[in-house]
Amino acid sequence: QINFDEGDRRDPKNFSYAQKWTITLICCALAGITGAATSSYAISYDSMIKDLNCTRLQATLGLSLYAIGYGIVPLFSSSFSEERGRRPVYIMSSTSFFLAEVMNALAPNIQTVIVSRALQGVFGSCGASLIGGSIADIWQPHERGLPMSLFAFSSLFSFGLGSAFGGLISASPHLGWRWVQWVHAMFTGAFMLAVILLMNETRSSIILTHIAKDTRKMTGDPRYRSGAEIDKPSMSSLIKTSCTRPLYFLFTEPVVQSISLWIGIIWGILYCLFESVTAEFQSVYKFSVSDTGFVFLVGAIIGFMAIMYQESLYRKHFSIKGQEARLYMPCVAAVVLPVSMLIYAWTASPNIPWIVPLIALTAFMSGVFVIFQVSILYVADCYGPYASSAQAGQSLARNLMGLMFPLFTQQMFASMTYKWGLTLMALLCVLMAPTPWVLFFCGSKIRSHSKVSRKILEAEQQKWDGDTTVASSPTEEQSMQV
């Protein structure tokens, strides 16, 4: 059986730091491009509605269908990355996403826009769903804090960046919403070339399979096989597993259920803010579209600094709290979210300076950043080799909320006004605020009642006892029968 030798430079864990950071930054660029495509589209509604003579609900469908692609497609795409490797999926994803953006920019009517946005969601999620796995492929567990924080930062900072530049471009009478899409297409085209020229395969099982094939060809000895070739499941089996296991985790694991519901509601509220912030700041403070685009930026920066502090808390308290050491800052964020949303809802008034609701909105975005980042890491810590399935279930729930919330946002604000509509959102945050506190104090006990978690806890105990070592691998994840 073909395996890596100790220190083998072909092993992704032994890539040079230059290679590791090149791959990490390419992955972060993909997260940024796909994230910016959400907010820049939403902020250019007015230009699109005027140009295509469509309704706001039709324009909103383009935002919602983009989100649902992110929820469903990862259930299938992970199977192909296990079978063919990550690099081919990244190339296919970036190329198809680029073509869908061109289709959007050239769209003669709103129906074409809606179809192209659905395709963007499908193809963008194929690559974006692999980013966490790619980072885990090349970085040791104790090294992943900064790369994963940069991944989350690029995802949420790009929301603000997309809003800012989308607002600047769409507000120009000589440019408009189509140029928002053309600028996106230019960046995606450059990213596509970077993937083709600089991206290495990071899935060790695929690299070992290629080495085994080359060895068989050179020696003529068919006995040389990689571990993935010896116990290789069929593609239909992989697809069945990747589609059913995330749903199994989502419907049976209390930790996944609670985190998914919490981040899902917050994600839906974030999409509602895309709908409300521009209109509210324009009507109350006479901001231009380009001005309102900048209100999301600072929150991501503060959230990134909070995550860096959370990493230090995690390292300090892991020996006592275990996985729950991830939850110090989310407990703070759970309090910040409803308070900041209420302040934003009740201070957006001509009699109150614009900086007050803007500070509240910044605090809310910082909290969203912390929760988004930690929800990924906490689930990964809790479910070890099954983390990708648990995260896929979480992603499905989160993006279903992203689909549903924008569809009723305008009607809600029209009937309830912004003040009471945003107050309702704050009450939803209050309802979900106990989630991280319950997990912080009772998470270990909750997981001890789960069959999957007990299996992982037993393996971890054996690891600490020196009997065995737990490693995340495709074969381990395939071993679980649903």
Side-chain angles (χ1 to χ4, degrees):
Q1 182 175 330
I2 298 291
N3 287 302
F4 292 119
D5 295 327
E6 186 176 350
D8 192 332
R9 303 298 288 185
R10 295 173 296 182
D11 184 349
K13 290 285 196 301
N14 295 326
F15 283 174
S16 68
Y17 276 104
Q19 280 180 292
K20 289 183 177 183
W21 278 113
T22 298
I23 293 168
T24 300
L25 292 176
I26 288 174
C27 289
C28 291
L30 175 58
I33 288 169
T34 54
T38 303
S39 55
S40 63
Y41 174 83
I43 207 167
S44 59
Y45 276 173
D46 293 340
S47 173
M48 182 192 303
I49 291 169
K50 183 178 179 181
D51 183 38
L52 299 180
N53 193 29
C54 63
T55 66
R56 195 169 189 88
L57 178 60
Q58 288 175 315
T60 302
L61 275 175
L63 180 66
S64 296
L65 290 176
Y66 184 87
I68 197 59
Y70 262 76
I72 295 176
V73 173
L75 300 180
F76 303 90
S77 60
S78 60
S79 300
F80 291 96
S81 74
E82 289 179 3
E83 180 72 15
R84 303 297 179 189
R86 302 201 194 278
R87 186 173 182 271
V89 177
Y90 280 124
I91 293 174
M92 180 278 295
S93 173
S94 58
T95 303
S96 302
F97 190 79
F98 168 76
L99 293 175
E101 286 187 317
V102 172
M103 176 182 175
N104 196 351
L106 296 173
N109 51 52
I110 189 61
Q111 290 81 9
T112 307
V113 170
I114 291 172
V115 171
S116 68
R117 287 290 296 176
L119 291 175
Q120 281 180 258
V122 167
F123 295 128
S125 66
C126 286
S129 64
L130 304 181
I131 294 174
S134 295
I135 290 174
D137 287 341
I138 59 178
W139 297 100
Q140 299 289 350
H142 66 277
E143 299 175 316
R144 291 174 193 161
L146 179 58
M148 288 298 292
S149 296
L150 287 174
F151 163 40
F153 177 74
S154 60
S155 298
L156 289 185
F157 185 77
S158 65
F159 278 126
L161 206 59
S163 294
F165 285 96
L168 287 170
I169 295 169
S170 62
S172 170
H174 305 293
L175 299 175
W177 72 275
R178 291 186 189 274
W179 269 100
V180 174
Q181 301 305 316
W182 281 121
V183 170
H184 267 296
M186 293 173 194
F187 278 99
T188 305
F191 169 78
M192 179 177 65
L193 292 176
V195 169
I196 294 171
L197 297 175
L198 302 174
M199 190 73 173
N200 298 108
E201 179 57 59
T202 63
R203 194 168 186 85
S204 58
S205 60
I206 298 298
I207 297 172
L208 287 170
T209 298
H210 291 323
I211 293 172
K213 286 180 180 178
D214 292 339
T215 304
R216 289 196 299 270
K217 187 182 294 185
M218 286 181 356
T219 63
D221 189 342
R223 292 177 298 171
Y224 287 101
R225 289 281 189 275
S226 67
E229 291 176 300
I230 293 171
D231 187 21
K232 184 178 181 180
S234 64
M235 177 61 77
S236 61
S237 173
L238 282 171
I239 293 175
K240 179 183 177 182
T241 301
S242 67
C243 290
T244 56
R245 190 181 294 148
L247 298 177
Y248 174 84
F249 276 100
L250 187 59
F251 292 123
T252 64
E253 287 295 309
V255 169
V256 177
Q257 289 171 333
S258 56
I259 289 287
S260 298
L261 181 61
W262 188 35
I263 190 65
I265 288 175
I266 291 169
W267 209 245
I269 293 172
L270 181 64
Y271 271 67
C272 287
L273 288 178
F274 290 149
E275 295 278 329
S276 69
V277 168
T278 300
E280 186 167 11
F281 273 79
Q282 281 180 318
S283 62
V284 175
Y285 295 111
K286 309 305 178 186
F287 275 32
S288 66
V289 174
S290 57
D291 292 332
T292 58
F294 287 94
V295 299
F296 291 99
L297 282 173
V298 181
I301 297 173
I302 297 174
F304 179 75
M305 291 188 290
I307 284 295
M308 291 294 97
Y309 180 60
Q310 167 60 48
E311 279 297 307
S312 67
L313 292 174
Y314 174 74
R315 289 191 294 269
K316 181 179 179 180
H317 298 289
F318 176 77
S319 60
I320 300 172
K321 293 295 297 181
Q323 288 91 332
E324 281 64 44
R326 292 280 186 198
L327 299 176
Y328 285 98
M329 290 307 295
C331 287
V332 176
V335 177
V336 169
L337 289 186
V339 172
S340 59
M341 180 59 75
L342 279 173
I343 294 173
Y344 173 52
W346 288 83
T347 59
S349 165
N351 301 321
I352 298 175
W354 59 267
I355 193 66
V356 178
L358 187 61
I359 290 173
L361 191 60
T362 300
F364 182 86
M365 285 300 298
S366 301
V368 171
F369 182 94
V370 169
I371 294 166
F372 174 74
Q373 162 74 352
V374 172
S375 67
I376 296 172
L377 291 174
Y378 180 63
V379 169
D381 287 349
C382 289
Y383 291 96
Y386 309 125
S388 61
S389 295
Q391 288 169 347
Q394 181 197 99
S395 175
L396 176 62
R398 185 178 73 239
N399 286 290
L400 280 174
M401 295 293 188
L403 164 69
M404 293 185 293
F405 272 60
L407 296 178
F408 62 76
T409 299
Q410 285 303 312
Q411 296 89 330
M412 178 185 69
F413 286 137
S415 60
M416 298 179 66
T417 72
Y418 286 114
K419 179 182 292 185
W420 288 107
L422 292 169
T423 300
L424 176 61
M425 299 297 174
L427 292 176
L428 287 175
C429 292
V430 170
L431 185 65
M432 298 307 300
T435 302
W437 293 91
V438 171
L439 291 174
F440 183 81
F441 290 107
C442 306
S444 180
K445 185 177 180 180
I446 292 171
R447 285 184 284 115
S448 69
H449 294 289
S450 160
K451 183 173 69 174
V452 178
S453 293
R454 278 201 307 271
K455 182 178 178 181
I456 295 169
L457 286 170
E458 289 169 3
E460 286 177 347
Q461 186 60 49
Q462 289 179 335
K463 174 186 176 182
W464 290 115
D465 292 341
D467 295 332
T468 188
T469 301
V470 178
S472 176
S473 70
T475 54
E476 282 179 311
E477 185 155 342
Q478 289 155 10
S479 68
M480 177 184 171
Q481 298 299 317
V482 177

